[in-house]
PDB file of all heavy atoms in Angstrom:
ATOM      1  N   ALA P  44      11.121  82.824  31.361  1.00  0.00           N
ATOM      2  CA  ALA P  44      11.460  83.445  32.651  1.00  0.00           C
ATOM      3  C   ALA P  44      11.380  84.980  32.579  1.00  0.00           C
ATOM      4  O   ALA P  44      11.248  85.657  33.595  1.00  0.00           O
ATOM      5  CB  ALA P  44      12.856  83.010  33.071  1.00  0.00           C
ATOM      6  N   ALA P  80      16.986  88.704   7.043  1.00  0.00           N
ATOM      7  CA  ALA P  80      17.560  87.611   6.233  1.00  0.00           C
ATOM      8  C   ALA P  80      17.620  88.019   4.776  1.00  0.00           C
ATOM      9  O   ALA P  80      16.695  88.632   4.263  1.00  0.00           O
ATOM     10  CB  ALA P  80      16.705  86.357   6.395  1.00  0.00           C
ATOM     11  N   VAL P 189      21.405  58.777  -0.881  1.00  0.00           N
ATOM     12  CA  VAL P 189      20.988  60.123  -0.489  1.00  0.00           C
ATOM     13  C   VAL P 189      20.790  60.971  -1.733  1.00  0.00           C
ATOM     14  O   VAL P 189      21.646  61.014  -2.616  1.00  0.00           O
ATOM     15  CB  VAL P 189      22.041  60.758   0.435  1.00  0.00           C
ATOM     16  CG1 VAL P 189      21.638  62.185   0.784  1.00  0.00           C
ATOM     17  CG2 VAL P 189      22.214  59.935   1.691  1.00  0.00           C
ATOM     18  N   THR P 193      17.718  67.016  -2.410  1.00  0.00           N
ATOM     19  CA  THR P 193      16.915  67.175  -1.203  1.00  0.00           C
ATOM     20  C   THR P 193      17.644  66.697   0.036  1.00  0.00           C
ATOM     21  O   THR P 193      17.266  67.047   1.150  1.00  0.00           O
ATOM     22  CB  THR P 193      15.617  66.373  -1.323  1.00  0.00           C
ATOM     23  OG1 THR P 193      15.968  64.987  -1.443  1.00  0.00           O
ATOM     24  CG2 THR P 193      14.804  66.797  -2.523  1.00  0.00           C
ATOM     25  N   GLU P 226       4.342  53.165  12.451  1.00  0.00           N
ATOM     26  CA  GLU P 226       5.105  52.137  11.730  1.00  0.00           C
ATOM     27  C   GLU P 226       4.548  51.967  10.328  1.00  0.00           C
ATOM     28  O   GLU P 226       3.333  51.972  10.117  1.00  0.00           O
ATOM     29  CB  GLU P 226       5.008  50.811  12.487  1.00  0.00           C
ATOM     30  CG  GLU P 226       5.862  49.740  11.864  1.00  0.00           C
ATOM     31  CD  GLU P 226       5.758  48.432  12.629  1.00  0.00           C
ATOM     32  OE1 GLU P 226       4.657  48.117  13.114  1.00  0.00           O
ATOM     33  OE2 GLU P 226       6.784  47.740  12.734  1.00  0.00           O
ATOM     34  N   PRO P 269       6.704  22.759  -8.300  1.00  0.00           N
ATOM     35  CA  PRO P 269       5.438  22.307  -8.874  1.00  0.00           C
ATOM     36  C   PRO P 269       5.502  20.820  -9.242  1.00  0.00           C
ATOM     37  O   PRO P 269       6.574  20.286  -9.445  1.00  0.00           O
ATOM     38  CB  PRO P 269       5.306  23.174 -10.121  1.00  0.00           C
ATOM     39  CG  PRO P 269       6.702  23.559 -10.462  1.00  0.00           C
ATOM     40  CD  PRO P 269       7.435  23.677  -9.173  1.00  0.00           C
ATOM     41  N   GLU P 315      11.265   6.392  -9.134  1.00  0.00           N
ATOM     42  CA  GLU P 315      10.424   5.370  -9.753  1.00  0.00           C
ATOM     43  C   GLU P 315       9.606   4.665  -8.676  1.00  0.00           C
ATOM     44  O   GLU P 315      10.093   4.456  -7.563  1.00  0.00           O
ATOM     45  CB  GLU P 315      11.336   4.372 -10.455  1.00  0.00           C
ATOM     46  CG  GLU P 315      10.627   3.273 -11.201  1.00  0.00           C
ATOM     47  CD  GLU P 315      11.606   2.278 -11.791  1.00  0.00           C
ATOM     48  OE1 GLU P 315      12.111   1.438 -11.019  1.00  0.00           O
ATOM     49  OE2 GLU P 315      11.877   2.343 -12.989  1.00  0.00           O
ATOM     50  N   ASN P 364     -29.295 -30.930  -4.722  1.00  0.00           N
ATOM     51  CA  ASN P 364     -29.181 -29.973  -3.610  1.00  0.00           C
ATOM     52  C   ASN P 364     -28.602 -30.565  -2.336  1.00  0.00           C
ATOM     53  O   ASN P 364     -28.614 -29.916  -1.298  1.00  0.00           O
ATOM     54  CB  ASN P 364     -30.521 -29.311  -3.297  1.00  0.00           C
ATOM     55  CG  ASN P 364     -30.947 -28.407  -4.434  1.00  0.00           C
ATOM     56  OD1 ASN P 364     -30.096 -27.759  -5.049  1.00  0.00           O
ATOM     57  ND2 ASN P 364     -32.229 -28.392  -4.728  1.00  0.00           N
ATOM     58  N   THR P 372     -17.934 -39.680  -9.461  1.00  0.00           N
ATOM     59  CA  THR P 372     -17.315 -40.478 -10.531  1.00  0.00           C
ATOM     60  C   THR P 372     -18.289 -41.592 -10.878  1.00  0.00           C
ATOM     61  O   THR P 372     -18.999 -42.104 -10.008  1.00  0.00           O
ATOM     62  CB  THR P 372     -15.991 -41.103 -10.071  1.00  0.00           C
ATOM     63  OG1 THR P 372     -16.208 -41.769  -8.837  1.00  0.00           O
ATOM     64  CG2 THR P 372     -14.909 -40.043  -9.886  1.00  0.00           C
ATOM     65  N   THR P 508     -21.381 -63.774   0.310  1.00  0.00           N
ATOM     66  CA  THR P 508     -20.368 -63.021   1.045  1.00  0.00           C
ATOM     67  C   THR P 508     -19.225 -63.930   1.441  1.00  0.00           C
ATOM     68  O   THR P 508     -18.051 -63.621   1.248  1.00  0.00           O
ATOM     69  CB  THR P 508     -20.999 -62.403   2.305  1.00  0.00           C
ATOM     70  OG1 THR P 508     -22.155 -61.707   1.911  1.00  0.00           O
ATOM     71  CG2 THR P 508     -20.019 -61.450   2.975  1.00  0.00           C
TER      72      THR P 508
END
Side-chain angles (χ1 to χ4, degrees):
V189 177
T193 62
E226 185 180 37
E315 182 184 78
N364 292 323
T372 51
T508 308

